[in-house]
Amino acid sequence: MTLGDRIEWSTWRICWVIVFGAFASGLDASVVNIGLDSISKDLHADLAVTQWVASGYLLALALSLPLAGWLGRRFGAGRVWLASLAGFTVTSGLCAMAPTVGVLIVFRVLQGLAGGLLIPTGQTILGQEVGSARLGRVMATLGIAVSVAPALGPLAGGLILHALSWPWLFAINLPIGLVGLLLGRRYVPRGESGNARPIDPVGLALVVTGLPLVVFAVTRWGETGRLGVPVLAAAALGFAALAWFIQRSRTHPHPVLDLSLYRNRLYRAASLASAFTGALIFGSGLIVTLYFQLGRHLDVVATGLNLLGFAGATAVVAPFTGRAIDRYGAAPVSFAGAVLAVVSTAPFVFLPVDTPGALVQLLLVGYGGAVVLVGMPTSIAAYKTVRPDQLSDATTQVNILARVGGALGGSVFAVLIAARLPDLDAAFRTGFLAVCIGALGALGAALLIQRATPSDAREAAAQRT
């Protein structure tokens, strides 16, 4: 690695500030799920209604994502990031003070609208700051928050509920958000503003309707295990709206998202691979959590403690993954991660759920590293193919695909496990077999990226070794 490839401390400082905000958003999504039962009892609401505290947040995330690219070009990515973090922090405080479950759901939707912009705008800031040659290292650092926060959520939520009441699940975001805002105002560059093309109102209406409907349909299917009329109707309307949106974006002079990026073969392969790896990562994360809660009958706190090795492995491996991507390219790193994913999860297909804990932890540490190696290169490969002025569109599109893929993966894996219950051994063997099949699919995705990578880019990566 040459001196010119080194990243200055000022850039790393920006990176860690953005990681701080991303961690708060990622932690919140999993922490609150732990407290739904407590919220239901305290606010005297039916659990089916209280579930919308979680579902409303996820749908709002999907709703705000399509706007991230346009807002970044219109106001500057840094300004949008700061406004998003401020909105997330304020609405966290409002959630903590909500007097009824209906008010809480409204505030959670507003919180999701703000939180959904943090990851794509943060990625845009970092990509514009460092350029494509050094993108892997800074994006990998952001990936620590994206990977570790959901894994720590059950432990953090369990500890909070053990010592305090449910409003603290939201109030914990206040000091984190305030520190992030103080650091962000000082160090995060505001970005160029006024570069947005006029927005297509019809296209915007189509995508912000279709995307949440699709996410609702697949998550609801995973929760109930049934393809009833509401699920099928939401899926049909959602996919129809998205299909119309895609067709309109191809011909409209000012589309909401620049879909012409998909003409680039490498971008197309890498972004679609992000959807696949998103399904694998989110789905397997659900299985690992249920493995301890249902399979080994552990409470929330004990489950969180057992996931520390998994979370720690992702945090340790992420920085090395970024360096490897910049040096060797995305495809070889993702391929190695997929192999490690198969090796670390295949034993679960044959082991009973009461397998000794030391062996389980060893396998989970391996899989924690594999998750980073598999998932991170696909999105970074997509970002490396676009110009700086196209990066806001690229981060938005890749995050949308990863979000939809993650929702689909979580639902498929949940349905597979539920179909084999109450036989715990059969249920989790089936679930981990699905993870192995998904990892083999990730191998294919890595090969697809390799084939789409221009030969001159491969030669440049080889020369840096």
Side-chain angles (χ1 to χ4, degrees):
M1 190 173 297
T2 67
L3 183 63
D5 288 330
R6 291 179 182 174
I7 299 174
E8 301 80 7
W9 162 241
S10 59
T11 300
W12 281 121
R13 187 169 54 198
I14 296 169
C15 180
W16 283 108
V17 172
I18 290 173
V19 166
F20 202 72
F23 186 83
S25 175
L27 187 68
D28 186 80
S30 55
V31 162
V32 174
N33 291 343
I34 302 300
L36 292 180
D37 186 56
S38 297
I39 293 171
S40 177
K41 292 176 181 176
D42 194 49
L43 296 181
H44 310 290
D46 188 88
L47 191 58
V49 176
T50 308
Q51 182 65 40
W52 281 98
V53 172
S55 299
Y57 181 82
L58 294 177
L59 293 178
L61 289 177
L63 183 65
S64 64
L65 274 175
L67 284 169
W70 184 85
L71 289 172
R73 292 189 300 271
R74 176 66 178 82
F75 300 104
R79 293 183 183 88
V80 175
W81 186 88
L82 286 168
S84 300
L85 183 57
F88 179 83
T89 304
V90 170
T91 51
S92 294
L94 294 174
C95 287
M97 296 185 294
T100 67
V101 71
V103 173
L104 177 58
I105 291 170
V106 171
F107 287 153
R108 277 288 279 175
V109 169
L110 296 176
Q111 188 188 37
L113 290 174
L117 299 172
L118 285 172
I119 297 296
T121 54
Q123 289 175 332
T124 300
I125 294 166
L126 294 177
Q128 293 174 343
E129 186 72 16
V130 301
S132 62
R134 304 179 295 175
L135 193 60
R137 278 164 282 167
V138 294
M139 289 294 187
T141 305
L142 181 59
I144 295 176
V146 176
S147 302
V148 173
L152 292 180
L155 175 59
L159 291 174
I160 290 171
L161 290 177
H162 181 73
L164 302 165
S165 56
W166 67 263
W168 288 95
L169 296 172
F170 303 101
I172 193 175
N173 294 324
L174 295 176
I176 297 175
L178 288 173
V179 172
L181 284 170
L182 290 174
L183 295 174
R185 282 177 58 85
R186 183 170 182 178
Y187 297 119
V188 172
R190 303 306 189 257
E192 296 184 8
S193 60
N195 296 326
R197 52 188 176 260
I199 199 164
D200 172 22
V202 175
L204 178 62
L206 289 171
V207 70
V208 300
T209 301
L211 190 59
L213 282 174
V214 169
V215 172
F216 167 79
V218 296
T219 53
R220 189 64 177 166
W221 172 52
E223 292 168 359
T224 63
R226 297 189 301 271
L227 291 174
V229 173
V231 171
L232 292 174
L237 290 173
F239 282 116
L242 291 179
W244 187 3
F245 166 75
I246 292 171
Q247 179 60 35
R248 183 178 179 86
S249 298
R250 293 173 60 186
T251 58
H252 197 276
H254 304 297
V256 177
L257 296 174
D258 183 9
L259 300 186
S260 67
L261 296 179
Y262 286 99
R263 295 172 186 166
N264 182 307
R265 186 168 168 234
L266 177 55
Y267 177 84
R268 184 169 64 245
S271 59
L272 293 177
S274 294
F276 182 85
T277 55
L280 172 64
I281 292 168
F282 280 92
S284 61
L286 173 68
I287 286 181
V288 170
T289 302
L290 293 177
Y291 177 80
F292 289 110
Q293 291 182 328
L294 295 182
R296 298 175 78 94
H297 307 292
L298 300 181
D299 61 22
V300 172
V301 174
T303 296
L305 290 171
N306 275 275
L307 290 174
L308 285 179
F310 173 85
T314 63
V316 169
V317 172
F320 297 100
T321 301
R323 289 179 176 273
I325 293 169
D326 285 342
R327 185 177 290 250
Y328 304 112
V333 177
S334 187
F335 187 91
V339 172
L340 180 58
V342 172
V343 171
S344 57
T345 57
F348 285 106
V349 179
F350 307 99
L351 294 173
V353 291
D354 59 353
T355 297
L359 177 57
V360 170
Q361 288 301 315
L362 178 64
L363 294 172
L364 285 182
V365 167
Y367 187 65
V371 162
V372 178
L373 292 169
V374 168
M376 206 171 287
T378 54
S379 59
I380 293 175
Y383 301 152
K384 280 176 173 281
T385 66
V386 301
R387 302 189 310 267
D389 61 294
Q390 298 173 318
L391 195 55
S392 58
D393 271 311
T395 57
T396 299
Q397 292 169 15
V398 169
N399 276 278
I400 287 173
L401 288 171
R403 173 66 59 186
V404 173
L408 184 59
S411 297
V412 169
F413 284 26
V415 168
L416 288 174
I417 290 178
R420 303 302 300 271
L421 290 175
D423 187 336
L424 293 174
D425 282 327
F428 287 102
R429 283 172 178 166
T430 300
F432 281 109
L433 177 60
V435 175
C436 289
I437 294 172
L440 291 173
L443 285 173
L447 293 174
L448 187 64
I449 294 174
Q450 180 69 11
R451 288 186 60 187
T453 302
S455 58
D456 56 346
R458 293 198 294 267
E459 291 169 4
Q463 291 172 2
R464 290 197 292 267
T465 62

